Amino acid sequence: MAKKELTVPDIGGYTDVAIIDVYISQGEDVHEGDSLIALESAKAVTDIPSELTGRILEVFVETGDTVSQGSRIASIEVAEDEAVEEEKNAEPEPEAPKEEKSSQKTDQKQVTASQPFGSVYHATPSVRQYAREQNVELSDAVGTGPNGRITREDIDRAQKDRTATAVFQSPTTEGQPLEVRRDLSRIAKVSGPHLSESYRNLVHVTHFDTSDITELEEFRLKVKPEFARDGLGLSILPFIIKAAVAALKKYPAFNAQLDEAAGQIIEKHYYNIGVAVDTPDGLIVPVIKNADTLSVTQIAERLAELSGKAREGRLNRDEITGGTFSISSLGGIGGTGFTPIINAPESAILGVSKARMEPVYDGESFVPRLILPFSVSYDHRIIDGALGARFARHLAELLEDVRRLLL
Ligand code: CAO
């Protein structure tokens, strides 16, 4: 037997990340890959898996602590041969072929590879063991514990559901099933608890406004062929992102975070804009980092790149974290307005609906104008109604005359 330490691997350069759950306790047996702790991140809870199999000797952390790469999590007693294997891995021989199971288990790729976004299942080692014994996949269980943690009861329920599904799917007299049970997508299983937490904890108010984007649309249609020559599409959205950043600069409360315990608002002077993307596996929100430093063209390029990667399930952790404000655009689909849910801990979100031609009275007659409906949901604990209306008005005016973005 040998004593080893389990530490926090590379977590993409983030430091002082809060622990929101500790799954292990002293004397418990853990397997390699079992989750040790859960860390808070922008859109999901990320588990840190064990690199070793053995018995936990001492746990050094508790819920609420903050950790960075290298922070000690626990000490563990491992079988001697595993320890030797670890030592060997720690000094890779230059000519050794590059195997998947390399010594660098703590690098970001390993962490991402073992836990791609949307596929982490929060469960203690003992629940994992129980699931193995019951022959239930963690992916079949819906976690009802704190932070979506999977409990023994959830495993039992998943097992019962399996039987129930078979019953529901047995044909009726017409040969059609009466009901069909479908598993939630992996993304929905992770984002669902985050959405409901945000909906419960933030005080949502949604403000609706419209913008006359007739001139902007004329301009977009004029430059679109130039973009097409470079193989790039140009929807209205990159302009909206650019205008939203300008509005956030003027109204910093919308690019902020509430620190309830300290009674403070943290205004962010960097502009990382999350954009909701509809993928076959569900909704995912890649983040356009430092959008204030990008031109409309660069935003269009980045949006195309990130939404493409989102649909192919190839986004890395850095690309889905660190957002300061989000935009959900359903304009390509339709609708006259909706109430988007704020992506906590952010303080606001912009919802974009479908622009349509409407008759607008110009004082003498009705003229056809392209009107874009949009909504802004904001956290009423930070932002009052008048500020919400001013932000929306300012955004509308920027889109009505994008030359204002130069000011
Ligand atoms: N009004 C009218 N037309 C619009 C529009 C709007 N607000 N927004 C986009 N369009 C048009 C585009 O200009 C494009 O038309 P052209 O082909 O003539 O250029 C067409 O609709 C398709 O646009 P798109 O949806 O492919 O592209 P986008 O840049 O507007 O959006 C993306 C990109 C990734 C945000 C989008 O594809 C998407 O996934 N939207 C869904 C987001 C979502 O699900 N949100 C809900 C979250 S809450 O559950």
Side-chain angles (χ1 to χ4, degrees):
M1 291 291 175
K3 186 176 163 182
K4 295 252 143 202
E5 274 192 358
L6 297 164
T7 57
V8 175
D10 178 353
I11 45 175
Y14 292 93
T15 54
D16 301 324
V17 182
I19 297 179
I20 55 171
D21 218 336
V22 176
Y23 299 127
I24 45 167
S25 48
Q26 194 181 349
E28 194 169 26
D29 289 331
V30 297
H31 287 83
E32 182 183 342
D34 282 357
S35 298
L36 300 171
I37 54 174
L39 300 182
E40 188 176 52
S41 73
K43 183 77 184 172
V45 176
T46 299
D47 280 9
I48 299 297
S50 177
E51 297 159 16
L52 299 167
T53 297
R55 178 158 297 170
I56 298 295
L57 294 174
E58 194 182 346
V59 181
F60 303 128
V61 290
E62 54 186 46
T63 303
D65 287 355
T66 55
V67 289
S68 309
Q69 180 178 356
S71 300
R72 297 188 322 154
I73 301 173
S75 58
I76 183 170
E77 190 175 51
V78 296
E80 207 64 68
D81 49 351
E82 174 140 1
V84 171
E85 183 73 7
E86 265 294 300
E87 301 289 308
K88 263 201 283 172
N89 282 338
E91 293 162 38
E93 281 154 21
E95 68 278 14
K98 281 199 177 74
E99 285 181 54
E100 274 301 299
K101 191 179 159 75
S102 81
S103 63
Q104 300 304 312
K105 284 182 183 169
T106 52
D107 73 11
Q108 175 65 14
K109 215 164 122 218
Q110 281 281 347
V111 174
T112 314
S114 60
Q115 306 185 348
F117 178 79
S119 69
V120 284
Y121 306 113
H122 313 292
T124 62
S126 62
V127 167
R128 282 170 193 270
Q129 183 57 35
Y130 182 62
R132 280 191 282 268
E133 285 161 15
Q134 300 303 312
N135 210 12
V136 169
E137 292 288 332
L138 289 180
S139 57
D140 290 337
V142 178
T144 58
N147 304 308
R149 193 198 258 213
I150 296 170
T151 63
R152 277 175 94 91
E153 291 70 42
D154 296 329
I155 300 294
D156 290 340
R157 210 169 296 124
Q159 202 179 34
K160 260 213 267 151
D161 284 350
R162 209 161 44 187
T163 325
T165 305
V167 173
F168 285 134
Q169 287 179 338
S170 59
T172 64
T173 43
E174 288 91 40
Q176 292 294 320
L178 278 177
E179 290 181 35
V180 176
R181 267 176 190 270
R182 293 192 206 290
D183 286 336
L184 289 174
S185 71
R186 290 174 306 132
I187 290 178
K189 281 184 187 167
V190 174
S191 63
H194 177 80
L195 284 169
S196 67
E197 200 181 309
S198 181
Y199 192 65
R200 265 200 318 270
N201 295 339
L202 274 59
V203 182
H204 280 74
V205 173
T206 306
H207 182 93
F208 294 88
D209 206 335
T210 59
S211 176
D212 181 337
I213 58 163
T214 316
E215 261 114 60
L216 173 56
E217 180 66 358
E218 273 168 22
F219 178 65
R220 182 184 81 90
L221 293 177
K222 200 163 103 187
V223 293
K224 208 177 150 201
E226 293 164 27
F227 276 67
R229 276 200 290 278
D230 296 332
L232 195 65
L234 181 63
S235 76
I236 203 94
L237 194 53
F239 295 98
I240 295 176
I241 294 170
K242 187 82 186 164
V245 169
L248 293 174
K249 283 189 172 173
K250 188 168 162 88
Y251 295 98
F254 292 78
N255 198 52
Q257 180 178 337
L258 174 65
D259 183 344
E260 225 177 345
Q264 289 179 324
I265 297 166
I266 307 161
E267 288 178 2
K268 295 173 183 175
H269 294 161
Y270 52 96
Y271 302 87
N272 294 342
I273 310 298
V275 180
V277 175
D278 187 26
T279 78
D281 205 22
L283 175 76
I284 194 151
V285 187
V287 177
I288 299 179
K289 296 266 166 81
N290 303 313
D292 56 317
T293 64
L294 304 179
S295 65
V296 171
T297 309
Q298 288 168 325
I299 291 173
E301 282 168 353
R302 191 78 184 120
L303 181 63
E305 186 191 346
L306 289 173
S307 55
K309 278 174 120 180
R311 289 184 176 126
E312 290 158 18
R314 289 192 299 112
L315 288 168
N316 66 39
R317 209 183 137 57
D318 190 50
E319 290 165 328
I320 52 164
T321 52
T324 59
F325 179 81
S326 297
I327 299 182
S328 175
S329 172
L330 294 174
I333 303 171
T336 53
F338 65 104
T339 56
I341 296 174
I342 301 162
N343 190 4
E346 294 167 18
S347 60
I349 182 168
L350 173 67
V352 181
S353 296
K354 191 175 178 64
R356 66 192 77 226
M357 277 295 178
E358 288 181 12
V360 175
Y361 193 63
D362 69 359
E364 288 179 3
S365 58
F366 282 98
V367 287
R369 306 290 295 178
L370 187 64
I371 304 297
L372 176 78
F374 67 91
S375 52
V376 183
S377 294
Y378 54 84
D379 187 345
H380 206 3
R381 297 171 303 169
I382 305 183
I383 295 162
D384 62 27
L387 198 62
R390 284 196 189 100
F391 175 81
R393 251 320 56 225
H394 185 61
L395 179 61
E397 283 163 8
L398 288 171
L399 291 169
E400 272 161 22
D401 188 349
V402 282
R403 288 171 304 181
R404 287 174 192 277
L405 291 172
L406 301 171
L407 299 175

